[in-house]
Amino acid sequence: MPAYSSNASLADVAQRLGAARRVAIFTHAKPDGDALGSTLALARALRLRHIEATPVYLPPWSSRFDAIVDGTPVLHMPADPAAAAAWLDRPELTTADTFAVLDTGSWSQLSHVRPLLEPRAAQCVIVDHHAHGDESIASVRHIDVRAASACELVAEVCRLILGAGAMRELPVSVAEPLYLGVATDTGWFRYSNTKPATLRLAADLIDAGVDHNRLYRRIEQSDSPRRLLLTQRALASLEYLAADRAAIMSITQRDVAECKATQDELGGLTDLPQSVGSVRAVAVLTEVEPALSKVSFRSKAADAGQRVIDVNQLAQQFGGGGHVHAAGAKIALPLAEARRKVADALAQAVSA
Ligand SMILES: [Mn+2]
């Protein structure tokens, strides 16, 4: 695995971005709350300093985030690869003097914008909390795997850019997306990555005026009726492995079609099997195409005397990656075959 580490402080990053004139901000494909929150907070902080900053989102986009974006200028890249390639010629992108990549540092997550970013590495800044990535993307990098979310790091960058004495002095327009990332990447403060500093930052952001329950309703309580039907299909496919120590589920394209669901309604299904006491790790597969499947892995933190189940390692066996307790991969196999291979690897991981 090539090296992926910091060569700059958050103050260096803030100084670099604060000196820019026009900034294009990128994050991983299929943005989650942390990806959206970190990019939106940075764009709003820079705009308050009269720097033209534009977040760019790679599909698929979750419509529940529209209420969070709330009029801030953002760009959505077209899903069609040919259209996406032509789209990269937009002046907002080609005339930017600085590029920021947040909550990822991996070409595999940025493949559609690689032709734009690769020749501009000298003008590019990464702020990330993932364990693996490609240093070649950016000449300025701040990578901290101890951070529970990219927003924990970007909060400090925003504070410095705005010259705020404390986080609770941030404008609410910046504090709100930061809170979104801090909350969602910690499973609303339930996951093992939640630290005292995470909760202190969240408290400061609420002091800054964030309506945390409104955010919770927008993000966690806004599913369509179809989504619960899809959950029913996933549960119908549930199987326990290795004496109930792991659980696996899968969703077919037919399930998605029959429930009239959309791609962005597939996330979060990994939470359900983790409600079972004996289950230590979970895999959920989705059929992307007849010969392409996607798998999401989750594992619970180890209790005293238990071995850590590293799903990042498990995902790497399938050409993917992520974090110790949350990772994923794309597998070029039909769903049934992918499910058998994942089941074997998962059973071994929780038994070994
Ligand atoms: Mn993140």
Side-chain angles (χ1 to χ4, degrees):
M1 197 60 63
Y4 181 59
S5 60
S6 290
N7 65 357
S9 66
L10 290 171
D12 296 335
V13 169
Q15 199 270 332
R16 178 69 183 245
L17 292 169
R21 192 175 46 78
R22 185 174 283 181
V23 186
I25 307 173
F26 297 87
T27 186
H28 56 81
K30 194 182 178 185
D32 57 10
D34 191 31
L36 172 70
S38 57
T39 51
L40 204 56
L42 178 62
R44 287 176 178 173
L46 289 169
R47 281 178 179 269
L48 285 167
R49 287 273 312 271
H50 307 291
I51 296 164
E52 194 185 319
T54 310
V56 181
Y57 298 114
L58 278 59
W61 173 255
S62 171
S63 59
R64 76 184 61 199
F65 290 153
D66 289 339
I68 309 294
V69 172
D70 190 29
T72 295
V74 304
L75 293 173
H76 293 281
M77 193 173 202
D80 172 60
W87 187 88
L88 287 178
D89 286 335
R90 300 173 67 94
E92 295 98 317
L93 304 181
T94 54
T95 65
D97 55 88
T98 306
F99 298 80
V101 172
L102 309 181
D103 197 31
T104 184
S106 169
W107 282 131
S108 67
Q109 296 278 3
L110 295 161
S111 54
H112 293 318
V113 287
R114 189 167 181 163
L116 176 79
L117 290 180
E118 199 160 28
R120 295 172 171 86
Q123 299 149 262
C124 191
V125 174
I126 287 177
V127 179
D128 189 22
H129 69 129
H130 291 83
H132 300 291
D134 301 296
E135 285 194 348
S136 67
I137 292 178
S139 62
V140 177
R141 298 177 300 275
H142 187 89
I143 296 141
D144 186 350
V145 297
R146 295 164 309 170
S149 58
C151 277
E152 267 186 42
L153 306 171
V154 172
E156 177 66 3
V157 175
C158 292
R159 188 187 71 75
L160 291 167
I161 286 172
L162 292 168
M167 291 296 178
R168 63 178 182 280
E169 292 166 19
L170 288 174
V172 66
S173 64
V174 175
E176 185 184 81
L178 290 172
Y179 187 95
L180 175 69
V182 170
T184 53
D185 258 24
T186 58
W188 300 88
F189 311 106
R190 288 172 299 139
Y191 300 158
S192 58
N193 59 0
T194 307
K195 301 177 307 302
T198 317
L199 294 166
R200 287 193 188 98
L201 173 58
D204 283 342
L205 296 172
I206 292 171
D207 267 340
V210 172
D211 182 344
H212 61 89
N213 185 257
R214 187 187 78 97
L215 277 178
Y216 187 80
R217 294 195 307 274
R218 291 286 174 278
I219 302 302
E220 304 297 336
Q221 299 182 328
S222 65
D223 286 349
S224 69
R226 309 177 295 267
R227 159 72 189 194
L228 202 55
L229 294 174
L230 199 63
T231 304
Q232 188 179 37
R233 299 290 181 107
L235 284 173
S237 79
L238 171 71
E239 182 190 354
Y240 292 113
L241 306 167
D244 303 339
R245 283 196 291 269
I248 189 166
M249 305 194 302
S250 49
I251 288 277
T252 64
Q253 283 191 309
R254 189 173 161 184
D255 290 328
V256 175
E258 285 179 357
C259 296
K260 298 189 171 60
T262 57
Q263 276 298 319
D264 70 309
E265 290 174 313
L266 290 170
L269 293 169
T270 46
D271 286 342
L272 284 166
Q274 295 188 74
S275 63
V276 176
S278 60
V279 167
R280 298 210 50 215
V282 171
V284 175
L285 291 102
T286 49
E287 182 182 33
V288 182
E289 289 167 19
L292 181 64
S293 306
K294 224 191 67 185
V295 59
S296 292
F297 293 106
R298 295 291 184 276
S299 65
K300 293 183 189 167
D303 283 329
Q306 283 183 333
R307 199 174 43 79
V308 172
I309 312 290
D310 184 350
V311 293
N312 180 36
Q313 255 175 32
L314 200 51
Q316 280 177 17
Q317 289 179 35
F318 296 95
H323 303 281
V324 174
H325 296 301
K330 281 183 181 162
I331 307 174
L333 286 174
L335 185 71
E337 209 176 319
R339 178 167 168 148
R340 275 195 297 278
K341 295 210 162 162
V342 167
D344 288 347
L346 183 62
Q348 196 168 17
V350 296
S351 306

